[in-house]
Every structure is written in structure tokens, then in C-alpha cells.
Amino acid sequence: MSSNILVVGSINMDLITVLERFPKVGETLLGQTFTTALGGKGSNQAVAAARLGAQVAMIGAVGDDANGDAALKILQQEGVDCSGIAVKTGMSTGIASITVAEGDNHIIVVSGANFALSLADIDAHADLFAAADVVLCQLEIPMDCVLHAAKLAKQHGATFVLNPAPAQALSAELLALVDVMTPNHTELKQAFALSETASDADIAQILPAHMQLVMTEGANGASHYSAEGKRHWPAFKVDVVDTTGAGDTFNAGLAVYWSQGLDVAVQHAQASAALAVQKLGAQTAMPTADAVGMFIKQQMH
Ligand code: ATP
């Protein structure tokens, strides 16, 4: 099996400082460690899909700075086709400055070049849409780019999968183009402007007839909603170390295995995420297709 996945999404460098306690306003402290890692939902999902054995290309934007160089290098090392990534002169690459202390974290995201991605940047790579089985998007790039990617996916006969994160309301025009949506509970409510108390029946009622919805529910697993009704799969029971990147790994798994049918796709997406939560970090924890296959076999015994 080899699927062609095109990710149109964000690219960040995570700048991670660990220290004993958070500084007060105006205070300078010495930290303990500093590390950098590739982040952003787009590049996380691209790397996760590549680890799972898919042919992956990415459309996105970085700045002409050291973080952009580092991000491109890591994506290339992971086997992601970076020909669709624009380098924006004079702009900074997206960053997430993460401070970890007192068992908690503070995070500042500066989107930088991610929000300079343009329709022209996307149009320049129509060839990548033509080659794609699945086009996978999130909401960390301009909304008009998400909509444009959805239109091009449709034009080229690719399945358009939208992970509507971070949570926000979605236009009717975009909803009409989404084949598969993968929200968590908060994102689902925001995407469809549902009330806090919305029931399964309410969800079934607002769901466009053409759309399949796979809602992720953390340790509770995942549910599929469609015109035919609801199905639920429990999560695999594992010892959790760090759930960072669970959603990104799940989305990659679902996209990579989508052509094999809903059951196989959800099973592999959940197995991929279950392996990811057993290790620290996002991309460091993302499994290979072999590891996922072995894990599923073990779980069946
Ligand atoms: P995040 O953005 O923090 O990655 P998310 O809200 O997008 O999270 P979740 O619903 O938390 O995504 O998790 C995605 C999938 O990962 C779940 O559907 C499940 O398959 C798997 N998963 C998450 N947490 C656990 C857990 N504790 N045990 C087993 N599987 C888990």
C-alpha cells in the first residue's frame, strides 16, 4: 500500500525552554535546558504520514531565517517533498516559544510566514494536487488558503480531509467541500456553531449529507458520524507518557489508511496515536507503519 498525501498547512519551529519556575514580570532567570523541534499541525501531520509509509508532499511557507532552514531540513530528512514550500523573504518562520516549569507550560505562537501563504503559492503547485489521493488541511494557515485547497482537491478528484484545529466557526462554502472532518469535541461545536448540550441526534441533523465526520475523543477513542448514523471505537489501552501530537498522529493515520475503508483507517489511526502517546514529544513519538502493524497484531491476541 502506498498512498499519496498532500498536506497544506503550517510549519513551525518549537523553541522549548525548561526551567525550575516561571519568571515573574520583569525578572530574568537561568533556564535548565533549551531544545528545538519541528512543530505546527501541518508539518506534524506530514511527518507522521511519511513515517507511516505514505508519499507525502507539503504546501506551506517558511521565512528566510535559520528556523526556516532547520524546518526544511527536518522535513526533507523525513522524506517529505518540500517543493511546494514557499520561502518568504524578510519574514520569520512560524515559532512556538514553549516554557516548561512547575509541571505546566506557557506557550507563545508567532505564526510568521504561515499567514503569508497565498492562493498564488498554492496555484503554483497544482501538480501536487493532481498526484494526491488525499489532501489534508488544518486551520493554522489563512482560511482562504484552506478553502482554495479544498476546491483544488475537488477539481483533482482527491479526498479532502479537514482537521478543524484550532477550533473556529467554518463557512458553509468550506463545509460543502469537506469530505472527511476530524474534530475533537470543542472543534466540532465551533465548526458547526453547536450548543454546549448538543446531542448525537443534533450532530446527525447538522451534518451535510456528503460529509463523514470522525470525532476524536482522547482516551475514549473515536466516533464516526454520517448519514447512516453513529459508530464508536474505544481507544487502545496503553500507559500514557505524553499526549502531545496524538491528534496529529491520528489525522495522519486516518489519511494514510483512508483508501482501505473506515474500519481499517480508524483502527490504524488509533493504533498510531496509541503508540505516539507512550513516548515523550510530538514527532519523536510518531510510529512507523511496521510498528503500527505489530501493535495491532499484539492487541488482537
Ligand atoms: P491534541 O491536539 O492534544 O493532539 P486532539 O484533541 O486533537 O489532541 P485527542 O482526541 O486527544 O486529539 O486524541 C486523538 C486520538 O489519539 C484519540 O482518538 C485516540 O485514538 C488517541 N489517544 C489520545 N489519548 C489517548 C490515550 N490516553 N490512550 C489511548 N489513545 C489515546
Side-chain angles (χ1 to χ4, degrees), residues 41 184 216-219 221-222 235-236 238 240 243-248 250 270 273-274 277:
K41 291 180 193 300
N184 62 21
T216 63
E217 298 165 288
F236 290 102
V238 292
V240 178
T243 60
T244 313
D248 290 334
F250 181 97
Q270 292 222 92
V277 300

Side-chain angles (χ1 to χ4, degrees), residues 8-23:
V8 183
S10 60
I11 302 163
N12 287 341
M13 284 306 286
D14 290 347
L15 315 176
I16 307 155
T17 304
V18 177
L19 73 173
E20 229 167 73
R21 65 171 177 85
F22 292 112

Side-chain angles (χ1 to χ4, degrees), residues 41 163 165 182-185 187 215-223 233-240 243-251 266 269-275 277:
K41 291 180 193 300
N163 175 217
T182 58
N184 62 21
H185 199 237
E187 291 151 4
M215 181 169 79
T216 63
E217 298 165 288
N220 289 325
S223 293
W233 294 264
F236 290 102
K237 289 209 172 0
V238 292
D239 292 328
V240 178
T243 60
T244 313
D248 290 334
T249 309
F250 181 97
N251 273 278
V266 173
Q270 292 222 92
S272 306
L275 284 166
V277 300

